[in-house]
Amino acid sequence: MICLIDPALQDHQQTSSTNLGDVVIFQAIERCLHMLFPGEEIHRISSHEPLRTDHYKRLAAARLRILGGSNLLSSDLLTYNQWNFAKDTRDYEDPNVRDLRLFGIGWWQYQAKASDFTSAFYRRALSDAGLHSVRDSYTAARLAEMGIGNVAVTGCPSMWALDGVHSRRNDCPTSDCVVMLTDYYTDPVADDAV
């Protein structure tokens, strides 16, 4: 069994997120996992709610634990945290989750260097074996600052199936382009240029 901590689930009742970007990314991750691990059961756990006892049991039993596909990492877990891991901050000091692998993860709004508290949590929770897949070099640099160097910059999993697709946007006819803009980190000049 593979456990995927998934931002595409709004809650532990398996309600889909209202953020369609997270749903699109989950579909790409699911496609990759089925290709890499055919026939393997994938158990999804929402990243939006604290983990429950049954989740810890499943995570402990899983042969692979994945934190998948959004800008879930942040610089200070005590002030802002995209991954709602636990209700009590003491759980961050000694997490019951270990050996998590990142899969297409990014850094929330390009925040500065992580706090000592946050760095310690990530070092305890993330696997030191194999590779973590991150979206960009900024995320890789933040992880490297905290001593997590087993990272590959892979981009977002939703883009992996575009291999071989012409992607020079200045030469791309409008009818053949997909453009994604974010509403929380705008650049009006660059956004209008798209």
Side-chain angles (χ1 to χ4, degrees):
M1 172 186 53
I2 296 171
C3 277
L4 172 64
I5 299 174
D6 187 358
L9 292 178
Q10 191 62 42
D11 55 40
H12 293 316
Q13 288 70 46
Q14 306 291 303
T15 306
S16 286
S17 172
T18 57
N19 181 336
L20 294 181
D22 285 339
V23 174
V24 168
I25 295 166
F26 161 71
Q27 291 170 344
I29 289 172
E30 181 181 45
R31 194 170 40 249
C32 290
L33 290 176
H34 285 303
M35 181 183 71
L36 293 169
F37 307 102
E40 190 87 33
E41 176 189 357
I42 300 171
H43 181 78
R44 297 168 66 197
I45 300 170
S46 175
S47 65
H48 296 282
E49 294 186 333
L51 296 174
R52 301 183 313 222
T53 302
D54 60 312
H55 297 137
Y56 287 113
K57 289 178 182 175
R58 282 191 188 250
L59 285 160
R63 76 183 194 103
L64 186 59
R65 289 160 291 284
I66 297 172
L67 182 59
S70 191
N71 291 327
L72 289 181
L73 302 180
S74 68
S75 294
D76 188 353
L77 297 175
L78 297 176
T79 59
Y80 186 80
N81 188 7
Q82 282 283 97
W83 174 25
N84 193 0
F85 169 74
K87 290 180 185 175
D88 191 331
T89 56
R90 288 177 293 190
D91 292 330
Y92 288 92
E93 293 170 6
D94 187 21
N96 288 330
V97 175
R98 305 268 191 212
D99 295 321
L100 284 169
R101 300 278 178 95
L102 302 178
F103 198 117
I105 295 289
W107 204 268
W108 175 251
Q109 295 192 1
Y110 302 105
Q111 298 166 322
K113 183 178 177 180
S115 70
D116 291 342
F117 178 87
T118 300
S119 295
F121 168 73
Y122 289 143
R123 282 192 305 271
R124 285 189 291 268
L126 299 179
S127 178
D128 58 2
L131 287 175
H132 296 285
S133 159
V134 298
R135 292 179 173 195
D136 51 50
S137 58
Y138 189 89
T139 303
R142 296 287 76 80
L143 290 167
E145 286 174 346
M146 51 181 95
I148 301 170
N150 53 326
V151 173
V153 177
T154 61
C156 181
S158 64
M159 304 300 287
W160 297 351
L162 297 177
D163 184 37
V165 173
H166 181 71
S167 61
R168 289 188 352 222
R169 88 175 136 179
N170 291 341
D171 297 335
C172 185
T174 304
S175 62
D176 294 333
C177 292
V178 175
V179 177
M180 302 291 281
L181 301 174
T182 183
D183 63 348
Y184 58 81
Y185 196 70
T186 62
D187 181 343
V189 173
D191 294 349
D192 286 343
V194 175

